[in-house]
Amino acid sequence: MNKAKASSEKSVSASSRTISLLSQLEKINLDPVLGESDSARHVTSKILHLVQSQEKTRKEMTSKGSTGIEIILSTLENTRDPQTIVNILNILIEIVSIGGGRRASVLVTKGGTQILLQLLLSASKDSPPNEELMVLLHTLLAKIGPKDRKIGVKARINGVLNISLNLVKHNLQNHRLVLPCLQVLRVYSTNSVNAVSLGKNGVVELMFKIIGPFSKRNTSLMKVALDTLAALLKSKTNARRAVDRGYVQALLTIYVDWHRHDSRHRYMLIRKGVLQCIKSITNIKLGRKAFIDANGMKILYNTSQECLAVRTLDPLVNTSSLIMRKCFPKNRLPLPTIKSTFHFQLPVIPASGPVAQLYNLPPDVDDVVDESDDNDDAETESEIETEIDDDKDQHFKNDDIETDINKLKPRQELGRSIEELKMYEQFFPELSENFQEWDLVSKEPKPFVPDANLSGPIVVPTASEEHSAVANPSTKGVALKECSPLLTEECNRRPVFLELPKKDSAKGGSLHQQNDQRNMLPSSQCLSQEIVKGLDRISLQNSAKNDQYSGTGCVIEKENKAGITTLASSKPCEHVSPCGGSLFEGSSVQLGKLCCTGVDSEEEEDSRSSSSGEHAALQVSDVSPVHDCDLYLEMVKNTKSIPEYSEVAYPDYFGHIPPPFKEPILERRYGVQRTKICQDIERLIHQNDIIDKVVYDLDNSSFSVPEEADVLKFNSKFESGNLRKVIQIRKNEYDLILNSDINSNHYHQWFYFEVSGMKTGIGYRFNIINCEKSNSQFNYGMQPLMYSVQEALRCRPCWTRVGTDICYYKNHFSRSSIAAGGQKGKSYYTITFTVTFQHKEDVCYFAYHYPYTYSTLKMHLRKLESMHNPQQIYFRHDVLCKTLAGNSCPLVTITAMPESNYYEHIYQFRNRPYIFLSARVHPGETNASWVMKGTLEYLMSNSPNAQSLRESYIFKIIPMLNPDGVINGNHRCSLSGEDLNRQWQNPNPDLHPTIYHAKGLLQYLAAIKRLPLVYCDYHGHSRKKNVFMYGCSIKETMWHTSVNAASCDLMEDPAYRALPKILSHTAPAFCMGSCSFVVEKSKESTARVVVWREIGVQRSYTMESTLCGCDQGKYKGLQIGTRELEEMGAKFCVGLLRLKRMSSPLEYNLPSNLLDIENELIESSCKVTRNCWCVVTS
């Protein structure tokens, strides 16, 4: 206790002593007398003693409100006594030496830099200069300099730049003086003007007198000299001077010498300093050339390989890797042109924009002259990468936020006359239908009895964390690895044609024999290795006039007993059984089920207990469409592609079911990116090891697939396929080049291609080398998708996440800025992944995300139309318009039939609010279609909540706004070569027909005073996780700018936040924290902003679904799949019901807990049974 008290008294005493001494010093400053220089010297000496001995004194001097620093600096500025100056400099050094940069910042804000520079200038006039004073001055300047952004300008204005330089020149052997002088020169050199000025006075040459080969002496001086040189060489003028004097070779020699002698790695900082100098000098083209000429690539490659074994040397390896990547000679892509392989002649050529630029490009724009002297340091990639969402909406670039209040305020502008908009009246027959000829006696759901030609429907694939290994006893169960023998006869049939046979009696006779033989084959036949050996692609090459199947029309028949609409063939097909025939020409095989239905028994029981007897009424999507292989082929025949595809990809034909296992976000192995980059660099160093053989080429019409057994075969000539060229680099490594969007020369990200001819037990590396985005979720755990035909034949038809050693990085291929349309970033990026195949001679497909083709959409819409109950559901499938290629853009209307044809029921039917949904404006965002699929199937289901939803709203849905882009494998554009989601302000009816007419529908609704309650455009996001929404808010936009929202007298209804908030509580994948309601200038032509601003829909959204996975909620750490995406679509519908309950509680006649029960059922009961791995397709 006494000790504590004594310590406290001592502290108070020291504090009072400091205050007393500072007061004395202040008095001396105010009343200076010549004889009092001794007093100032005495007082500063005592203060120095206190500062050196007590941290409390140092804190007190720089604490808020203290005047200690001002008094000290004032004394320093006014005194002429050398000892007082030395005392004060020592005091300041002690203060800033401990306590981090905050104390140095305090000294800067008090004007310390200017005072010290003036003192340096006056001290330099002494002859000879006071060494002690110079050392202290430079030491202090070196400490506070980094905290003063303007120190370079201040030094130049005060004329002190050359003082430090001259001190170094004349005192090279005086290391005590040279060291702080070099530190100050390093600080000065952060200013480019200063660096050039110092360079002209010989500072670069001076640095090379200090640095040299390995030596254990003066290593501190060597380190500081290297840091100073690296800062100086960031100036292009100094870098050129260094190249001219041959210093690149000298630096490489010094680096190798230190690398060889520093066997214990004690001088890593010096070695890194040399590399930093090389990195600075290679920022210019001349430096890169000198580096290559000096064999720098091989030197750094060899030294970095020797450092790999020691983890602490990673900074050296990473810096070496960066230098080598930067100096790797830039090449153009090995293509005749970066324009798309395919061309579509537009009906109108725009006067301006990217398409006009493309048409006016000179012929040689693809030739890449080596990079300008751009500094690439900003793109340094460290191995310990942390995920930084460059799209994070909480931190917008202020210059992109709309600040004009007049532009932000929504204003209804139809833009077209009422007479012109009347053309859209035909798409709203529900507003005039009187239902007098309809039989609407009962609104009770009719039992669903499927057509004999259809397999049982799939229940909506919604997500669930756990799955049971026991199948629902109410469905025909199947074991995990074997198909049900009861369904073999019906479900094993497949189309007989992969090459569609010509119509002749001989062929028909052989098919009957094949069918007889097929029925005799054991089920194990489908597992034979001989299956894949005979595997051929499904082909549609034969013309329709020679193909009897293509001539079979389909008519809609009504089954009175079932009360539903079913699809039937108008005449029998000789070559195709209801579910198809043999898969392979010349061989008959049996296939297991490709679909399954039902609910896990355990979960059904759980749901039954949780729903308190309402379980039977809450089955979701009991009319969900199943995948129909034959119907898919029928849809494909009417799909028009620019390349005139004649083949069908197996995944699209067989269909996809979600795998029964979770797919976690991949944990990236340490150093994988560095390893891949080193392997790329080896191409330049060991050129003889590179095969460089083209194995697939769309640009060469006469190209034939290589026949070698050890070479993979590639193909992408099918709907939504995208692969332009493949080059074999090493035995098991291939470079892949994607095709540009049609009528464009960029937008490379979406890929979908086929690989065959593989062997097992071998890791094949695939490099997609012409990606354009600067970052990707492939760096943060996302994997590409693969579909194995062998697995599909084994009753496991699914896309699965595959690949190891995945990373995304900048490569050495480049394009000219002219060819890039003036875009920033002329370099391409590589997606690389390694795959080891499970089956020999398999046929596998790889995709950026789960494919969903235009023909798949048509098939699903046809199945929905044929399977719904017309007495319960009002369903219309119209053609909104024709696309540029002549494909139909579908428009779907869904609502509930009126209870009867009485006036009050018809009135309620016609006056339901509209919900307007759209999707797939960007072809590469296939996840949007899977979410839309979940929405459509939920809306068409027989659950009470779905019925209530239909009774509450009329849904107008455009499920695919860009059919041409989807069909032709584009990533972002339509055939016009433009991003359709940037055309909503002024769509051209000739170039953007789907957008023009979609906007026309909304304008028509606005004209008749029937604005949609909600507009939502479904999208996918490539660089963020989770599902989230973008909306529009004036106030939230203004909050992100310097404009005060309160001063604008804004009154804004916050209802735009209601739906996202609801979804954040009901949908596991949805993240409210990622939502944004800010309006940006760059998005002013998007659907979301135009529908909000011009049409006047307050709840106008873009719903973005991740391509990767989730980092929050129930699915945290998992990659997203079709099950979760479809669940999101269903949960969106549940959210609309909750929105209805919030806005119209009196109209809502369901029990209050019914929505919660429905939400639970979507997550548990209503899903594809995961343990039924054998799946049936109709």
Side-chain angles (χ1 to χ4, degrees), residues 174-352:
N174 187 349
H175 297 159
R176 180 173 176 270
L177 176 60
V178 169
L179 185 63
C181 289
L182 289 177
Q183 291 172 332
V184 171
L185 288 175
R186 180 181 59 192
V187 173
Y188 290 164
S189 300
T190 56
N191 181 287
S192 58
V193 177
N194 290 352
V196 172
S197 176
L198 290 169
K200 290 178 180 178
N201 290 320
V203 68
V204 175
E205 293 82 356
L206 182 62
M207 292 301 104
F208 276 94
K209 291 181 179 179
I210 299 173
I211 65 175
F214 177 81
S215 172
K216 294 182 179 180
R217 297 176 59 191
N218 306 318
T219 54
S220 298
L221 185 65
M222 174 81 169
K223 173 65 177 63
V224 174
L226 286 169
D227 291 343
T228 306
L229 181 60
L232 289 163
L233 291 176
K234 289 181 179 179
S235 159
K236 295 176 183 178
T237 303
N238 290 339
R240 292 189 196 100
R241 181 176 286 106
V243 173
D244 292 341
R245 284 160 175 73
Y247 290 150
V248 175
Q249 179 69 65
L251 286 170
L252 287 169
T253 302
I254 292 171
Y255 181 73
V256 171
D257 189 63
W258 280 86
H259 172 80
R260 288 176 179 171
H261 290 89
D262 186 21
S263 57
R264 296 188 179 181
H265 313 303
R266 293 178 176 176
Y267 306 108
M268 190 187 76
L269 292 179
I270 291 179
R271 291 157 67 181
K272 187 177 179 182
V274 179
L275 289 177
Q276 291 292 345
C277 293
I278 297 173
K279 190 176 86 168
S280 295
I281 210 169
T282 52
N283 281 335
I284 64 171
K285 178 182 175 181
L286 201 62
R288 291 189 288 272
K289 184 178 182 302
F291 178 82
I292 294 292
D293 293 343
N295 204 21
M297 294 290 281
K298 191 170 184 179
I299 291 171
L300 290 194
Y301 175 81
N302 290 335
T303 54
S304 61
Q305 291 300 301
E306 293 170 8
C307 292
L308 286 176
V310 184
R311 186 75 171 264
T312 55
L313 297 182
D314 279 355
L316 302 182
V317 178
N318 293 336
T319 307
S320 297
S321 175
L322 181 64
I323 295 169
M324 289 186 284
R325 289 174 59 195
K326 184 164 49 176
C327 295
F328 202 116
K330 290 290 182 183
N331 296 323
R332 58 174 290 171
L333 289 169
L335 297 172
T337 173
I338 62 172
K339 298 175 187 176
S340 174
T341 302
F342 309 117
H343 176 72
F344 177 79
Q345 184 60 46
L346 296 176
V348 178
I349 306 299
S352 60

Side-chain angles (χ1 to χ4, degrees), residues 481-497:
K481 293 187 178 179
E482 58 180 307
C483 305
S484 172
L486 299 176
L487 301 175
T488 301
E489 182 177 356
E490 177 65 21
C491 301
N492 281 348
R493 293 198 292 271
R494 285 288 174 269
V496 298
F497 55 88

Side-chain angles (χ1 to χ4, degrees), residues 937-987:
E937 293 188 356
Y938 184 88
L939 290 176
M940 295 296 287
S941 70
N942 280 342
S943 80
N945 274 351
Q947 177 64 17
S948 180
L949 190 62
R950 292 190 294 266
E951 291 172 355
S952 301
Y953 302 113
I954 300 173
F955 288 85
K956 285 289 180 184
I957 301 173
I958 306 176
M960 193 170 284
L961 278 167
N962 191 353
D964 289 345
V966 172
I967 293 165
N968 294 286
N970 284 6
H971 176 65
R972 196 166 184 86
C973 299
S974 69
L975 293 185
S976 69
E978 298 168 295
D979 181 347
L980 290 183
N981 202 35
R982 297 296 185 274
Q983 311 303 323
W984 278 79
Q985 271 190 326
N986 297 294

Side-chain angles (χ1 to χ4, degrees), residues 2 158 660 670 914 930 983:
N2 293 333
N158 284 283
Y670 180 83
Y914 277 94
W930 289 100
Q983 311 303 323

